[in-house]
Amino acid sequence: MSLMDLNMSRLHDITGGDRELNGEVIRLVLEDAETAIGELVPALAVRNAAVGGTLAHQLKGASANVGAERLADAALRLERALDDDDWTTASRSFDEVLAALATLRDVAASLEAAGES
């Protein structure tokens, strides 16, 4: 877990540095990411690159907007792999998305424990 996975400057640009709002924004991104993962799993299982690519794109955008850079980067790699119909890279990239999401959960918990959210 590393705060480098979350660009706090970007998050503060959105929230004005409001600690409570920081936490709410992160929680919303985590909820949206969990929903996207739930929809990505079946799309990837049937090799639906169009649906998977759309979901990866949405996850990338939402993550980047709040400074969740590792998750955004992993989602971008997944999106590109699906655009290229490269299922080996897509599988690896999806694992990276899952790892980045787990790390973001840990970062969010650390911030909450420290009173940042």
Side-chain angles (χ1 to χ4, degrees):
M1 171 193 59
S2 166
L3 284 178
M4 292 185 65
D5 292 294
L6 182 62
N7 181 332
M8 292 300 292
S9 177
R10 177 67 185 132
L11 182 60
H12 287 175
D13 285 347
I14 295 168
T15 66
D18 181 303
R19 289 180 178 194
E20 187 174 323
L21 190 53
N22 286 346
E24 184 61 26
V25 168
I26 293 169
R27 279 188 291 280
L28 288 172
V29 168
L30 288 171
E31 288 174 16
D32 287 349
E34 293 291 348
T35 299
I37 296 300
E39 295 174 13
L40 267 165
V41 169
L44 296 177
V46 298
R47 292 189 173 220
N48 188 332
V51 170
T54 297
L55 292 164
H57 179 80
Q58 291 169 352
L59 181 58
K60 173 192 71 177
S63 302
N65 283 338
V66 300
E69 295 175 347
R70 181 175 171 209
L71 182 56
D73 290 346
L76 173 62
R77 285 190 292 278
L78 176 59
E79 180 184 11
R80 286 182 176 163
L82 292 169
D83 285 346
D84 293 341
D85 205 31
D86 179 351
W87 291 95
T88 301
T89 302
S91 177
R92 185 173 45 251
S93 297
F94 183 67
D95 289 342
E96 292 172 8
V97 165
L98 294 176
L101 181 57
T103 299
L104 184 59
R105 276 190 223 103
D106 291 344
V107 169
S110 292
L111 289 173
E112 188 170 348
E116 282 288 317
S117 63

